[in-house]
Amino acid sequence: MAGAIASRMSFSSLKRKQPKTFTVRIMTMDAEMEFNCEVKWKGKDLFDLVCRTLGLRETWFFGLQYMIKDTMAWLKMDKKVKKQILDEKIYCPPEASVLLASYAVQAKYGDYDPNVHKRGFLAQEELLPKGVINLYQMTPEMWEERITSWYGQHRGRARDEAEMEYLKIAQDLEMYGVNYFAIRNKKGTELLLGVDALGLHIYDPENKLTPKISFPWNEIRNVSYSDKEFTIKPLDKKIDVFKFNSSKLRVNKLILQLCIGNHDLFMRRRKADSLEVQQMKAQAREEKARKQMERQRLAREKQMREEAERTRDELERRLLQLKEEATMANEALMRSEETADLLAEKAQITEEEAKLLAQKAAEAEQEMQRIKATAIRTEDEKRLMEQKVLEAEMLALKMAEESERRAKEADQLKQDLQEARDSERRAKQKLLEITSKSSYTPMNCSATTLPADLPTFSLISESLSFDFKDTDMKRLSMEIEKEKVEYMEKSKHLQEQLNELKTEIEALKLKERETAMDILHNENSDRGNSKHNTIKKLTLQSTKSRVAFFEEL
């Protein structure tokens, strides 16, 4: 409280003296904001102001990124949620790890495209904790298939939306946002103190997932320490204070710092925003809506462009098909013309052969008549003549048959020639039809040019004040309840997805490789316990009984 009063006094004097200021533009996932900062301010002062404006709870998971000579740098480099999950500093169950990995891929690669994101495109990415990979008999290809399956469902989400979904899922992990410290109660029992945005939690050293006792910030009036002894004063003055001991003095300083920061943030979130902050949030919502409309417009343009490209590809494919048909028709026409020429030449030769055979047959007939008229004086000559006459008759008969066959063959060749000419005429007609089909005006398939730069949003604050008034608790309660209902609906669908994946890969689990964390998480899941309902159940008891329980641990 004293710190808050000092802050108000500091900012009031800042406003009266009107010190030199400069403008800083902050770009968040949802909007762009501008702040007037005093020259002597440090990065932490600006960071705290941004957190207050955005209403961030777990400030230790965020930081300010800035440019130094074309290089991106972080004001707070140790605030990466993804790194803590991958390094297993925050326990994440296998099914949630896969879902988080799919959002990380969406944030990095954008919408899934099977033509671009082919098998193996995630081979070099670090997306899952090593403990999760070692727990199952699954190849990298099998993990990639399951990540890609969910990645494809995130189509249409912008990078900032994917990152926000990642954080929303991560904040439901039991260890998310909790800082653990080794402590002892009055009886000397070794315990763990967990400090987070919700309050103080007491854990068994062997179980960092499920607290044994919880004290929300709204039940705590004061936190202080002397040497290694910490003192917690409940809000209810009728309840005795409870104490615990830490290992080192510097650990006490860190605990106190986290307690003050989280308690201050907890109380600020339950106060009405100043008029200036309300205006900034309203403009941030408008900017978010504008960006959403812009994304929808770009999505529509992208869809139209893709449809135009598909139409163009289809027309090009059809044109190529018509060209191939035209080529085949030309080749058929050439073959028909060649066949017709050959048949005509063969028919002419056959006709000439038939004429020659007919001439020979006539000559044989004349020879036979001459032989018959010749007087044969001797018997031998007569027999010889009879034999020659018989041979001549047989030759004549044979010549007549051959002549008839050649005549039939000539008729057949004439018929084939006529059919070839008909085929040639049909091929020419088809070629003419194909030529007339392919003569069209090409479609203009050029995609709509996307805007190079989006309009920027800026908010210039004339003065900054942290003089907050008392809150309208009813309005805040309604807003919080509305957010809670929306969150529960999303969580239900999300839980169904996680359970489906868990069932799918359960058969591939190597039970002997399960860690203590895996076993504890499975036990909590079987009981239907989650991070939030566990804390809710613990706080159903009175503060006095919980303090007494802590003392007796």
Side-chain angles (χ1 to χ4, degrees), residues 89-105:
K89 293 180 180 178
I90 297 177
Y91 173 76
C92 184
E95 58 275 12
S97 299
V98 175
L99 181 57
L100 288 173
S102 68
Y103 277 111
V105 174

Side-chain angles (χ1 to χ4, degrees), residues 27-30 61-62 65 74 80-82 100 102-109 154 157-171 176:
M27 299 176 65
T28 70
M29 294 179 180
D30 299 322
F61 283 110
F62 297 88
Q65 190 182 58
W74 286 86
K80 296 287 189 76
V81 179
K82 180 181 175 183
L100 288 173
S102 68
Y103 277 111
V105 174
Q106 177 71 20
K108 181 173 181 179
Y109 291 95
H154 305 330
R157 290 187 184 273
R159 179 187 63 82
D160 54 349
E161 292 178 326
E163 290 176 349
M164 185 58 70
E165 288 299 321
Y166 188 102
L167 290 175
K168 286 180 180 178
I169 297 168
Q171 73 178 2
Y176 174 87

Side-chain angles (χ1 to χ4, degrees), residues 470-486:
D470 293 336
T471 179
D472 182 355
M473 292 305 296
K474 184 176 181 181
R475 180 181 63 81
L476 286 176
S477 298
M478 291 177 64
E479 290 181 0
I480 293 172
E481 189 64 28
K482 182 181 178 182
E483 291 178 0
K484 188 184 295 184
V485 171
E486 293 175 352

Side-chain angles (χ1 to χ4, degrees), residues 288-345:
K288 183 178 180 180
R290 187 193 65 77
K291 284 192 174 183
Q292 180 66 22
M293 292 177 63
E294 181 69 14
R295 282 195 291 266
Q296 292 175 355
R297 184 184 67 80
L298 293 177
R300 288 194 299 270
E301 290 178 355
K302 182 179 180 182
Q303 183 179 1
M304 292 173 63
R305 180 169 65 247
E306 291 174 350
E307 291 177 356
E309 289 174 352
R310 285 195 295 269
T311 304
R312 181 196 61 195
D313 293 341
E314 176 63 23
L315 290 174
E316 289 178 351
R317 186 191 64 79
R318 181 58 182 161
L319 179 59
L320 182 61
Q321 182 181 354
L322 291 173
K323 286 181 178 179
E324 291 176 353
E325 291 180 0
T327 302
M328 293 174 63
N330 273 326
E331 292 175 354
L333 177 60
M334 292 176 65
R335 287 195 299 270
S336 298
E337 291 175 348
E338 292 174 357
T339 303
D341 293 340
L342 290 173
L343 289 174
E345 183 178 352

Side-chain angles (χ1 to χ4, degrees), residues 204-233:
D204 187 295
E206 302 300 324
N207 184 356
K208 291 184 177 182
L209 300 184
T210 310
K212 301 176 75 67
I213 317 168
S214 287
F215 298 96
W217 291 120
N218 59 354
E219 294 181 358
I220 297 174
R221 175 165 51 94
N222 182 267
V223 179
S224 61
Y225 73 91
S226 175
D227 195 16
K228 295 181 181 179
E229 186 179 70
F230 238 94
T231 302
I232 309 296
K233 294 182 179 180

